[in-house]
């Protein structure tokens, strides 16, 4: 009996709630209709605007009815630095067959990122697999891995992965534990062991500058990690990263994986086709880090190798500023 | 009651002798030098160390790992021997607890010294990410500090009450402090029951937490791709290494305390014999994991790993590697097998070898791996290809070690190094037993 009364009470409550909801909705609808009627009865401004519909007929419409439409292009929308640029995926292709160790890429990178340390972010390695194979030059930068080991181990989310593929560093947050450097198999990360002193040695203009992870080295901070950032400050301006434009041999191709195009500034190629035609590969694929930098194998290497040796400096990658 | 009075006289706090004072002053001097070096490191940045982009971790990290390892003595000797009801532990559990507390505190401080931006310490909490092994360390180290402190404190309660009564007339102020700390311990049955239950819970807690602490420490390394660290064997390898470092340092400290406080009557050769067997066990387990870590991989090592093993076996690090393995581990283990090798004096020398070996072993785990990255080391000054600690690093290392020793010295000075109440109870039991016979 008791049970029964409980049940009926519940049913009553349930119905009550539904009824209340219905009434609320109904009254809302009434208000809407009323406002519509009111709007119709009110006069327009009398200021007519001529417009063309999508099928090409001209129409006239009162200016008060004209409303701005949100743009279909999301590029204009201000984006979150940690989220990245929407609908983009940046990749780089490095053609090892063309590299002659001119080092213009490194010099340009050092200059535009105001590098004052002794370890460049972009390095050209002299490589030789075995004694029997010919040596070749290997430009190496941050691979912007899709499974970045550095991001996994960072305890404070100072280094992070964006949707557009970039791995960047928030130097305001880094605690200087150097775990990311230990984790990176490509030895690409560089530490500011001392005060960078960029303002003094490089006459860097820091007035009116807002530091952002989007421009590595602007400024560098003592006790934090720096590395190649794929130059998002250039991409935003629709320009190519510094190393790409500086290279005299067209070694570096930069582009968007979704658009399937890469360019070295002179020629623009289909990204997938280029990899297929020239057997592109990624460095240490076996580790599973999924890099976004692709290499084209160093063909014809014996002949070309001698050329770059005059620039080769085993113990230096950043020129000292006093000159 | 008279028995307790003699025990307090023997085991209770005693004023420093001249030697004790010199020792303390020396420690303080080393610490001051280290603090000066650290302040300089804060001002100038870590360029004062010899760490660079390739040798990006150095002696600070190996010190950290060593301190973490040594703190394991709390879980091993105290908790395990208590839970297995090994009564020979009584005279040295207190010292083991003290060592555990001192070294885990210093481990926490050492890892902060390695941080280049200690001013951003709070980021570890504000922006913590659970997937990073460092966050695991941030969780486990404070936990272990708390549990270690409780493990030292709970068994101390009856002794603090005894000291309170002992100093009531001679030093009322000191008596008051001991009284506060003893939490009104009166020795009633309900208090005893509560205390023994609390200690039991802490003992059960500290074993998994201690194991986890060593494991997380190993995972700091094995979660990277680096050759020599990327090893599934690393966690048990670190745990067994911690067993050695912990018991080794316990033997060394006990020997010194026994000598200085003239406790030959309490810590007898029987106890050293037992400890010696325990240390030998630790060493052999560690040797077993060393074989797993270095010898067996040599059979199937890939190119990069072969190079790494070669540097250890016959290359740049061969001398320290074999010194640490043979003199710091295998020889002590073998000597400890013989009864003559388990005499106090011999064991003191052996324990020093083992502790030094464990310390330097951590350096060999950290450094050679970092100096063999996947890509060759090019485009950096030649000095970056090698690593040896700088003066700053040595001073700071010395200071952290001295600070650990100072904490131990302070606690040994002010607390009964051997549980008084427990010893008294055990003596009573022994007397009853002999009376029965």
């Amino acid at each position: 009996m008791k049970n029964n009364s409980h049940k009926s009470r519940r049913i009553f409550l349930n119905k009550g709630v539904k009824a209340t909801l219905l009434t609320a909705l109904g009254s809302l609808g009434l208000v809407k209709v009323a406002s519509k009627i009111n709007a119709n009865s009110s006069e327009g401004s009398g200021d007519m605007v001529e417009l063309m519909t999508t099928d090409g007929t001209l129409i006239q419409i009162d200016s008060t009815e004209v409303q701005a439409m949100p743009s279909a292009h999301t590029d204009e929308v201000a984006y979150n630095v940690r989220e990245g640029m929407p609908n983009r995926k940046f990749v780089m292709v490095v053609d090892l067959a063309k590299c002659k160790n001119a080092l213009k890429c490194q010099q340009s990178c050092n200059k535009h990122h105001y590098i004052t340390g002794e370890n460049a972010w972009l390095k050209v390695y002299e490589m030789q697999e075995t004694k029997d194979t010919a040596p070749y030059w290997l430009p190496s930068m941050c691979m912007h891995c899709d499974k970045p080991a550095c991001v996994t181990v960072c305890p404070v989310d100072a280094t992070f992965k964006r949707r557009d593929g970039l791995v960047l560093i928030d130097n305001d947050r880094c605690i200087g534990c150097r775990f990311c450097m230990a984790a990176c198999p490509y030895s690409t990360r560089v530490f500011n062991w001392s005060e960078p002193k960029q303002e003094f040695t490089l006459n860097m203009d820091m007035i009116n500058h807002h530091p952002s992870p989007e421009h590595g080295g602007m400024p560098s901070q003592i006790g934090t990690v720096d590395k190649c950032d794929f130059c998002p400050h250039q991409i935003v301006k629709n320009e190519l990263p510094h190393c790409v434009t500086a290279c005299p041999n067209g070694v570096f191709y930069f582009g968007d994986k979704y658009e399937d195009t890469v360019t070295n500034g002179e020629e623009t190629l289909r990204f997938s086709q280029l990899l297929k035609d020239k057997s592109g590969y990624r460095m240490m694929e076996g580790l599973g880090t999924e890099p976004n930098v692709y290499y084209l194998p160093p063909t014809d290497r014996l002949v070309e190798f001698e050329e770059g040796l005059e620039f080769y400096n085993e113990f230096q990658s950043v020129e000292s500023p006093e000159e | 009651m008279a028995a307790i009075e003699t025990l307090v006289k023997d085991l209770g706090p005693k004023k420093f002798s001249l030697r004790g004072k010199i020792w303390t002053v020396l420690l303080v001097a080393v610490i001051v030098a280290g603090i000066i070096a650290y302040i300089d490191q804060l001002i100038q940045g870590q360029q004062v160390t010899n760490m660079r982009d390739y040798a990006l971790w150095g002696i600070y990290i190996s010190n950290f790992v060593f301190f973490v390892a040594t703190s394991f003595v709390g879980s091993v000797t105290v908790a395990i021997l208590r839970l297995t009801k090994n009564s020979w532990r009584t005279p040295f559990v207190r010292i083991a607890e003290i060592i555990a507390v001192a070294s885990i505190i210093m481990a926490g401080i050492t890892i902060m010294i390695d941080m280049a931006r200690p001013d951003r310490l709070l980021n570890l909490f504000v922006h913590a990410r659970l997937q990073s092994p460092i966050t695991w360390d941030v969780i486990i180290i404070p936990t272990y500090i708390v549990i270690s402190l409780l493990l030292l404190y709970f068994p101390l309660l009856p002794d603090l009450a005894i000291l309170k009564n002992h100093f009531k007339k001679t030093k009322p102020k000191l008596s008051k402090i001991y009284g506060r700390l003893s939490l009104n311990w009166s020795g009633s049955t309900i208090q005893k029951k509560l205390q023994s239950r609390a200690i039991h819970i802490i003992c059960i807690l500290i074993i998994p937490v201690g194991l986890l602490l060593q494991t997380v420490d190993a995972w700091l390394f094995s979660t990277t791709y680096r050759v020599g660290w990327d090893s599934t064997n690393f966690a048990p390898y670190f745990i067994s290494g911690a067993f050695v470092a912990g018991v080794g340092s316990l033997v060394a400290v006990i020997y010194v305390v026994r000598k200085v406080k003239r406790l030959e009557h309490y810590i007898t050769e029987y106890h050293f014999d037992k400890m010696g067997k325990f240390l030998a066990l630790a060493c052999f387990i560690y040797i077993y994991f060393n074989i797993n870590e270095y010898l067996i991989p040599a059979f199937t090592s890939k190119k990069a790993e072969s190079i790494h093993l070669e540097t250890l076996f016959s290359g740049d690090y061969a001398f320290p590697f074999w010194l640490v393995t043979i003199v710091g581990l295998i020889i002590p283990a073998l000597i400890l097998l013989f009864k003559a090798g388990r005499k106090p004096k011999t064991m003191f020398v052996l324990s020093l070898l083992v502790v030094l070996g464990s310390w330097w072993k951590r350096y060999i785990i950290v450094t050679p791996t970092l100096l063999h990255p996947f890509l060759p080391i090019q485009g950096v000054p030649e000095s970056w290809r090698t690593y040896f600690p700088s003066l700053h690093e040595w001073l700071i290392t010395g200071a952290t070690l001295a600070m650990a020793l100072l904490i131990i010295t302070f606690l040994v000075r002010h607390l009964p190094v051997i549980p008084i109440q427990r010893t008294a109870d055990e003596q009573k039991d022994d007397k009853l037993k002999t009376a029965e016979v």
Side-chain angles (χ1 to χ4, degrees), chain A residues 97-114:
Chain A
K98 289 187 194 163
C99 181
K100 291 169 188 165
N101 194 35
L103 287 182
K104 292 283 179 270
C105 52
Q106 190 175 67
Q107 287 154 11
S108 176
C109 175
N110 290 348
K111 185 182 159 205
H112 288 101
H113 291 285
Y114 304 93

Side-chain angles (χ1 to χ4, degrees), chain A residues 151 153 174 178 221 314 317, chain B residues 56 114 120 129 132 378-379:
Chain A
V151 172
V153 298
C174 176
R178 309 186 291 289
Q221 285 186 38
E314 199 180 355
S317 54
Chain B
L56 50 99
D114 183 71
R120 296 176 179 174
R129 298 179 83 223
S132 168
Q378 289 180 13

Side-chain angles (χ1 to χ4, degrees), chain B residues 103-137:
Chain B
S103 43
I104 190 63
I105 290 175
M106 288 322 297
I109 293 177
T110 307
I111 195 70
M112 283 188 249
I113 291 171
D114 183 71
M115 269 175 63
R117 296 299 297 248
D119 53 317
R120 296 176 179 174
L121 190 70
L122 276 183
N123 281 5
L124 282 170
F125 302 95
V126 181
H127 300 293
R129 298 179 83 223
L130 210 56
Q131 73 198 60
S132 168
I134 290 187
T135 308
W136 309 341
D137 248 340

Side-chain angles (χ1 to χ4, degrees), chain A residues 104-308:
Chain A
K104 292 283 179 270
C105 52
Q106 190 175 67
Q107 287 154 11
S108 176
C109 175
N110 290 348
K111 185 182 159 205
H112 288 101
H113 291 285
Y114 304 93
I115 295 171
T116 53
E118 289 174 277
N119 195 6
W121 301 358
L122 192 162
K123 291 211 277 191
V124 182
Y125 291 93
E126 181 196 22
M127 295 296 277
Q128 191 169 21
E129 284 115 355
T130 63
K131 274 183 183 166
D132 307 328
T133 54
Y136 63 95
W137 299 109
L138 174 80
S140 156
M141 65 296 289
C142 177
M143 300 287 143
H144 294 274
C145 307
D146 280 345
K147 291 186 178 155
C150 51
V151 172
T152 310
V153 298
C154 178
V156 296
D157 205 11
T159 187
F160 55 91
K161 174 81 181 168
R162 305 203 311 187
R163 267 189 291 179
D164 56 9
L166 302 194
V167 174
L168 299 180
I169 300 172
D170 182 350
N171 288 83
D172 285 331
R173 192 183 282 189
C174 176
I175 60 165
C177 67
R178 309 186 291 289
F179 202 175
C180 55
M181 299 174 72
C184 176
Y186 305 99
S187 305
T188 204
R189 290 174 164 255
V190 168
F191 197 67
N192 292 303
W193 297 96
S194 54
E195 192 61 60
K197 292 188 179 140
Q198 291 158 309
E199 306 91 311
F200 305 104
T201 50
L202 300 175
N203 289 323
M204 194 165 137
D205 178 24
M206 290 307 298
I207 304 163
N208 299 327
H209 175 68
H210 301 288
S212 150
E214 294 227 300
H215 195 159
M218 270 291 269
S220 285
Q221 285 186 38
I222 184 173
T224 62
V225 179
D226 276 329
K227 71 166 186 66
C228 155
D229 58 1
F230 256 23
C231 296
H233 48 281
Q234 290 289 98
I235 302 172
V236 170
K237 291 187 286 182
N238 254 332
E239 280 171 37
L240 289 167
H242 302 295
C243 51
V244 179
T245 45
C247 179
N249 300 316
V251 172
F252 302 94
Y253 294 82
F254 189 80
D256 188 327
K257 199 175 179 181
Y258 296 156
E259 287 172 356
D260 201 23
T261 45
V262 285
T263 176
N264 64 354
E266 284 163 23
E267 52 174 351
T268 303
L269 302 169
R270 275 271 165 259
F271 169 66
S272 51
Q273 198 62 38
L274 181 65
L275 293 187
K276 210 168 153 192
D277 291 348
K278 295 201 170 170
S279 320
Y281 68 95
R282 298 190 287 191
M283 211 198 285
M284 299 177 215
E285 180 78 63
L287 294 180
T289 49
E290 310 267 323
N292 277 311
V293 174
Y294 293 76
Y295 286 94
L296 305 179
T299 48
D300 309 326
R301 47 177 121 161
L302 241 186
V303 194
E304 311 282 350
F305 191 73
E306 296 297 319
E307 268 184 54

Side-chain angles (χ1 to χ4, degrees), chain A residues 47-61:
Chain A
D47 202 2
M48 302 305 268
V49 181
E50 267 183 30
L51 294 171
M52 185 185 274
T53 62
T54 41
D55 57 2
T57 44
L58 281 173
I59 53 167
Q60 267 194 336
I61 203 163

Side-chain angles (χ1 to χ4, degrees), chain B residues 395-429:
Chain B
L395 287 175
I396 292 170
T397 299
T400 51
L401 197 66
M403 229 180 274
L405 290 174
L406 190 68
I407 296 174
I408 294 172
T409 311
F410 176 81
L411 292 176
V412 166
R413 159 76 180 79
H414 289 284
L415 299 176
V417 280
I418 293 175
I420 297 173
Q421 186 67 53
R422 216 186 138 74
T423 314
D425 292 349
E426 277 177 9
Q427 281 179 353
K428 216 188 273 169
D429 287 352

